[in-house]
Amino acid sequence: MIKAVVFDVGETLIDETRIWSRWAGRLGVSSFVLMGALGGMAALDRPHAEAFQLIRPGFDLDAEEAAWERDDPDGLRNHFDADDLYPDVREALAALQAAGYQVIIAGNQPRRAYGALLAMDLPADSVHTSEGWGVEKPQPEFFAKVAAVAGRGPGEILYVGDRIDNDVLPAAQAGMRTALLRRGPWGYLHAARPEAAAADLVVDDLHAVLPGARRLT
C-alpha cells in the first residue's frame, strides 16, 4: 500500500515557461526558437543544455549564469518563485496530506531551489534537492535518499515525475511505484512511448495522483 508520495520539481510542480523565456531573451533569440530547440533535445534524448550549444556554439553555461547574476543580481534569471507553480499543485498536495499520505518534494534542483520551494509554504512534509544531497537522478543513490527521508520501504512510495529516464525507470528499479505525468515537453513525448507502460500510472494532472495512489495496493 502506498504511504508516501514523492514529487519531482521541474515540469511536475514548476512551470518552467518563464525561466526558458528569460533564457531566450538572454541568448538574443525568440522564445519559439529556444522552446523548439529544447523540444528537439527532448525528442532525441539529449540533455537540455545541448539546446544552448545548438543556438550558440561554444556556449559556457556556468560562465553565462555567473555573468547574468552580475548583470541582474536582484532578478529571477533562471530561478523560479510561487508564480511558476502549476495551478493544481497546492490543492493536489493538500488532498494527499488530508488523505493521510506523506508528501515529499525531491528533484534534480540546485541548492537555491530549496529556499524557493520552502518560501512557497507548500503542503509537503519535507523538501529536498539533488545538490543538497550531493547526488542526482537517475542515480540509484538518489532514490535511496528518497526512501531514507520517507522512512518507508520502497514499495510504499509512489514517485511522480515527467520523465521515463530520470523518474519512472530508476524509481521502479529502486522498488518504488511510479506515476508518469503528461506535462512539459518530456512528459508528453515520454508518455507516447512504449516504455511508458513501465509506469504504474500515467496521469494528465496532479489531481489524478490521489485516486491513482489509492488503487495501488
Side-chain angles (χ1 to χ4, degrees):
M1 182 177 294
I2 300 300
K3 296 182 180 178
V5 183
V6 184
F7 291 90
D8 174 42
V9 178
E11 288 307 318
T12 297
L13 305 182
I14 297 296
D15 180 346
E16 296 179 329
T17 301
R18 290 201 308 162
I19 296 172
W20 292 117
S21 295
R22 290 193 297 270
W23 262 121
R26 182 74 184 176
L27 292 169
V29 298
S30 70
S31 295
F32 179 74
V33 168
L34 181 55
M35 302 294 185
L38 286 167
M41 296 306 107
L44 295 170
D45 293 328
R46 289 162 60 181
H48 68 265
E50 291 190 20
F52 295 117
Q53 294 292 333
L54 184 66
I55 292 169
R56 189 186 291 177
F59 183 80
D60 185 328
L61 180 58
D62 291 337
E64 189 65 28
E65 285 181 338
W68 199 0
E69 185 171 4
R70 291 193 299 270
D71 295 342
D72 185 21
D74 299 320
L76 274 176
R77 304 186 306 279
N78 59 334
H79 303 193
F80 56 77
D81 62 17
D83 289 338
D84 297 302
L85 280 174
Y86 273 104
D88 56 359
V89 172
R90 291 189 186 277
E91 186 176 338
L93 270 59
L96 283 160
Q97 280 195 327
Y101 292 94
Q102 182 182 11
V103 175
I104 297 171
I105 297 170
N108 278 356
Q109 292 291 323
R111 193 182 302 272
R112 65 176 178 266
Y114 175 79
L117 290 164
L118 282 188
M120 297 177 197
D121 194 25
L122 294 169
D125 296 284
S126 62
V127 175
H128 310 274
T129 66
S130 56
E131 187 173 352
W133 278 345
V135 63
E136 292 186 347
K137 295 182 293 183
Q139 293 173 289
E141 293 83 0
F142 179 94
F143 295 94
K145 290 277 192 181
V146 168
V149 298
R152 311 281 185 183
E156 298 175 310
I157 298 170
L158 174 65
Y159 193 88
V160 183
D162 63 307
R163 294 177 59 158
I164 291 173
D165 54 350
N166 265 13
D167 302 318
V168 171
L169 294 181
Q173 288 166 1
M176 298 176 186
R177 312 300 290 272
T178 61
L180 177 62
L181 177 62
R182 294 181 68 248
R183 175 176 282 176
W186 278 264
Y188 284 108
L189 285 165
H190 286 196
R193 295 181 177 182
E195 296 92 335
D200 295 287
L201 306 168
V202 178
V203 297
D204 289 330
D205 57 50
L206 297 186
H207 294 302
V209 173
L210 175 55
R214 284 172 167 160
R215 292 195 303 269
L216 297 177
T217 58

